[in-house]
């Protein structure tokens, strides 16, 4: 699977976990030069507190386009150490 934004692959892996229709990529599969930390957090009752990154590609920023759960609840242990994408990021096979 590939995550593509602004014409560039920002993550690629043959090992994704699908939860609620979202592909969660291993953190190591994400281009570190394409993400910057965000202060945004949200809460999911069964997954826990999500934290976010901004995507930055070719000088353009996609705010809060990447999320992850640093300490997922027991029901969501399968996404520990993984990230997912939204806000116009295409996930392609």
């Amino acid at each position: 699977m590939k995550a593509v934004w602004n014409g560039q692959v920002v993550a690629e892996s043959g090992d994704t976990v699908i939860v609620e229709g979202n592909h969660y990529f291993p953190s190591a599969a994400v281009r570190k030069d394409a993400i910057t930390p965000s202060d945004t957090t949200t809460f999911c009752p069964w997954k826990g507190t999500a934290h976010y990154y901004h995507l930055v590609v070719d000088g353009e920023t996609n705010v809060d386009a990447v999320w992850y759960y640093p300490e997922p609840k027991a029901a969501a242990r399968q996404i520990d150490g993984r990230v997912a994408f939204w806000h116009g990021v295409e996930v392609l096979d």
Side-chain angles (χ1 to χ4, degrees):
M1 300 300 295
K2 294 179 185 179
V4 179
W5 184 70
N6 204 20
Q8 292 196 27
V9 175
V10 294
E12 186 170 7
S13 178
D15 173 27
T16 64
V17 173
I18 301 172
V19 175
E20 296 181 324
N22 297 300
H23 284 267
Y24 283 79
F25 289 73
S27 294
V30 180
R31 281 183 36 204
K32 300 305 180 215
D33 67 322
I35 58 173
T36 60
S38 167
D39 291 330
T40 301
T41 61
T42 57
F43 181 75
C44 171
W46 73 274
K47 289 181 284 199
T49 300
H51 292 248
Y52 291 79
Y53 293 111
H54 306 306
L55 275 179
V56 181
V57 175
D58 289 337
E60 292 189 41
T61 301
N62 189 340
V63 175
D64 295 337
V66 186
W67 78 89
Y68 65 100
Y69 292 86
E71 296 178 13
K73 291 186 174 189
R77 289 282 182 236
Q78 71 271 29
I79 59 172
D80 193 18
R82 295 176 176 272
V83 303
F85 299 88
W86 67 335
H87 285 204
V89 178
E90 292 183 285
V91 176
L92 309 168
D93 193 2

